[in-house]
Amino acid sequence: MSAVDRLISNEVLSEFLATLDEYAEKAKELYKRKLTDKDINASYKLFNSVETTVKRGDDEFIVTINLEDYWKDVEDGKEPGDPPSIGKLISWIRIKPVIPYADSRGRLPTEKQLAFLIWRKIDEKGTDGRHVLAETVDELNRYYLPKLQQALDRDFARFSYEIDTYIGS
């Protein structure tokens, strides 16, 4: 195997790739922990959907976090005028559970009425984003970017030593 082939192989970048795999696994763990800490686990659908992968391109490595489709609504919130369906709200009310307050005459809303009240508030005011993914990435990057750089430096130093040894023999 040539030096160039070894340079782009997993063999030369072994410490860097191991650290990148660790980053991906920690991303999954940290995101799930933040969902739990912020009580964003009504159905655990988003929590259970979290998967991470490390992909290697020609000149880059990409860590991908795969999530349920509605992750963006959790992350960034919903704009006024874009409420979820009543059916989704009813499901959420059942799972969460949402406990309604009585009105001034002591009446409690039905499940459907409660879903409509929530729908109307989201339609008028939207929802705030929880920024769980952004916080996860920021926290991981603060710790792992220097660690990835150090791993890369050690991998290249080891490879450079091997080249020097090969040329010198």
Side-chain angles (χ1 to χ4, degrees):
M1 180 181 286
S2 76
V4 172
D5 289 337
R6 289 198 58 235
L7 177 61
I8 60 173
S9 75
N10 292 352
E11 184 181 333
V12 172
L13 298 176
S14 60
E15 189 172 341
F16 175 78
L17 292 172
T19 305
L20 200 57
D21 286 339
E22 182 183 314
Y23 176 100
E25 189 58 34
K26 292 295 182 189
K28 180 178 178 178
E29 292 171 14
L30 183 59
Y31 186 76
K32 285 182 165 188
R33 185 172 60 231
K34 286 184 177 293
L35 287 174
T36 300
D37 291 349
K38 291 187 174 206
D39 194 27
I40 307 173
N41 284 327
S43 69
Y44 282 86
K45 195 173 179 183
L46 183 58
F47 182 93
N48 290 330
S49 75
V50 182
E51 289 297 329
T52 55
T53 56
V54 177
K55 296 178 185 174
R56 182 174 167 180
D58 291 336
D59 58 356
E60 64 187 356
F61 295 91
I62 300 169
V63 176
T64 305
I65 300 176
N66 301 306
L67 304 166
E68 272 298 318
D69 290 340
Y70 67 90
W71 74 269
K72 195 155 183 49
D73 291 338
V74 172
E75 185 71 10
D76 299 330
K78 296 215 29 104
E79 292 292 320
D82 185 28
S85 71
I86 294 288
K88 286 184 180 181
L89 286 171
I90 289 172
S91 296
W92 179 75
I93 289 167
R94 289 177 182 158
I95 294 167
K96 184 77 179 155
V98 176
I99 310 299
Y101 294 103
D103 66 11
S104 60
R105 293 189 283 187
R107 297 176 303 178
L108 288 173
T110 66
E111 194 175 69
K112 193 169 185 175
Q113 289 169 331
L114 180 59
F116 176 76
L117 292 170
I118 294 169
W119 180 92
R120 185 173 60 194
K121 182 171 183 183
I122 294 171
D123 188 47
E124 291 171 0
K125 297 185 178 188
T127 61
D128 294 332
R130 304 300 292 275
H131 311 292
V132 181
L133 185 58
E135 290 174 9
T136 299
V137 170
D138 288 347
E139 190 172 323
L140 283 170
N141 285 348
R142 276 193 306 277
Y143 177 75
Y144 274 98
L145 290 182
K147 194 172 178 177
L148 285 162
Q149 182 63 55
Q150 292 164 358
L152 198 55
D153 290 345
R154 284 189 292 271
D155 283 340
F156 278 113
R158 190 174 50 254
F159 184 64
S160 177
Y161 174 77
E162 290 175 19
I163 290 174
D164 289 346
T165 304
Y166 177 78
I167 292 172
S169 60

